[in-house]
Amino acid sequence: MQKDNILFHIFRFDPDNDKKPYLQEFKIPVTRKDQTVLEGLFYIQQRLDNSLAFRSSCRAAICGSCAMHINGKYRLACNTLISKLTSDIITIRPLAHMAIHKDLFVDMGPFWKNYEYIKPYLMPNKPLPATREQIQNPEERSRIDILIDCILCACCHSSCPVTASHEKYLGPMALLNMDRFVSDTRDGAREERLTMVNNEHGVWRCHTVFNCQEVCPKDLNPSGSIAHLKMKIVKNKI
Ligand code: F3S
C-alpha cells in the first residue's frame, strides 16, 4: 500500500555557519507511485526550506548531476523511486571524498581534474579525410558501445575506498573513460594513453574492490575497464 507521507533525513552543513554537519528531518507527502527522491528534494526546497542546496539538471538520468548517497547506496536521485525504497525513512548524504560546498552540493573540482588528465577527446595520428568523418565498421563501433554511456555522475568515484585513501588515484571514472579512448579505432594515441595510466596513481592503484561496478547507475563496469587497460599495458610492453 502506498504511504501518504515519508520522512527524509537530509545531511545539512554550511561550512560558513555550522560547526559540524547534522541530519535534518522533513516530512514529504507521497502523491504518486512514480515520485522520485529528486522530486522530494524539490518539494523541500520550494515549500519547506529554500536554503537546501543540491545539484540536479536533466531529471532523466542523462546529465549525472544528482548523484548522492541515498539509503546506503550511491544513486541518481532523479531515477530513484520513493516507492522502491523499503525503509520508512530516506536518508540522504552527499557524494563522498569531495569537499562540501553546502549540504548535498560538493566540490567536484578534483574529479574533473582526473577527467581532464586522461585527455577525453580523440587524438588522431593521421590527417582527417576531406569529409572530416572517420568511419567505423559495426564491429569497431561495438568496442566502445557501452563505454560511451558514462554520464560522469561520480557514483563510482565516491564508492571506491581507494579514492578515499589515495588522493592522487585517477579513480574508476577516469580509467573507464581512458579505456573508452584506448578502445576507439579512430584514436591514434594508444601508447601515450597507456603510459599515462601505467603508474602508481593509475591502473596499478586499483585494489579490485568492485564497488564501482556495483553502484554504476548505467550498469557499466569500471573494474573490467581497469583490467582491460592492465592487459593492454602488459601485452604492448608499455
Ligand atoms: Fe575502486 Fe573499483 Fe578498483 S571500487 S579499487 S576502482 S575495482
Side-chain angles (χ1 to χ4, degrees):
M1 206 176 71
Q2 188 178 305
K3 299 163 196 151
D4 294 335
N5 294 291
I6 187 117
L7 294 177
F8 273 33
H9 284 183
I10 301 187
F11 175 99
R12 304 297 308 263
F13 184 52
D14 178 352
D16 293 334
N17 296 308
D18 298 328
K19 283 209 174 84
K20 54 181 188 177
Y22 59 98
L23 288 178
Q24 187 173 8
E25 182 172 292
F26 296 96
K27 196 192 253 187
I28 315 288
V30 181
T31 51
R32 300 183 340 263
K33 240 172 118 180
D34 60 353
Q35 197 169 329
T36 65
V37 170
L38 185 62
E39 288 174 303
L41 290 173
F42 274 116
Y43 180 90
I44 295 168
Q45 197 185 54
Q46 289 162 6
R47 296 173 188 236
L48 306 178
D49 183 348
N50 64 9
S51 72
L52 177 65
F54 58 92
R55 194 186 261 123
S56 79
S57 182
C58 75
R59 307 189 190 198
I62 294 168
C63 74
S65 306
C66 66
M68 47 191 81
H69 191 259
I70 303 168
N71 277 13
K73 190 176 170 186
Y74 293 97
R75 322 173 199 238
L76 300 177
C78 70
N79 75 348
T80 302
L81 299 183
I82 290 174
S83 58
K84 294 273 175 191
L85 296 170
T86 46
S87 146
D88 287 337
I89 296 173
I90 297 179
T91 306
I92 307 178
R93 293 187 167 87
L95 290 171
H97 322 326
M98 291 180 258
I100 311 271
H101 277 313
K102 189 171 184 289
D103 305 330
L104 305 171
F105 170 37
V106 297
D107 174 10
M108 293 187 71
F111 177 80
W112 297 126
K113 229 171 159 189
N114 288 349
Y115 188 51
E116 201 183 326
Y117 172 82
I118 62 131
K119 301 188 179 175
Y121 39 83
L122 289 175
M123 297 195 284
N125 59 0
K126 52 183 186 234
L128 291 176
T131 57
R132 299 189 63 77
E133 240 186 315
Q134 287 185 281
I135 310 289
Q136 288 183 303
N137 65 37
E139 191 280 317
E140 289 171 339
R141 180 59 173 71
S142 71
R143 292 185 211 166
I144 57 166
D145 259 355
I146 297 192
L147 298 169
I148 58 172
D149 285 350
C150 175
I151 56 171
L152 310 174
C153 64
C155 282
C156 60
H157 178 92
S158 289
S159 73
C160 173
V162 182
T163 61
S165 58
H166 189 83
E167 209 184 310
K168 290 193 174 153
Y169 177 43
L170 282 173
M173 173 283 295
L175 292 170
L176 177 131
N177 279 284
M178 190 58 119
D179 188 30
R180 176 250 175 276
F181 286 100
V182 165
S183 306
D184 196 317
T185 52
R186 297 166 299 179
D187 193 69
R190 174 184 286 205
E191 206 166 301
E192 180 189 338
R193 292 188 186 282
L194 291 174
T195 305
M196 286 163 69
V197 297
N198 181 23
N199 54 54
E200 74 271 32
H201 308 310
V203 290
W204 306 110
R205 180 61 59 181
C206 168
H207 294 185
T208 24
V209 176
F210 296 121
N211 285 4
C212 53
Q213 181 185 337
E214 242 175 67
V215 298
C216 177
K218 292 291 173 183
D219 291 331
L220 304 185
N221 180 1
S223 45
S225 278
I226 295 168
H228 186 232
L229 290 170
K230 285 177 179 171
M231 261 165 22
K232 290 250 176 262
I233 288 168
V234 173
K235 215 166 144 193
N236 291 279
K237 299 194 173 64
I238 299 292

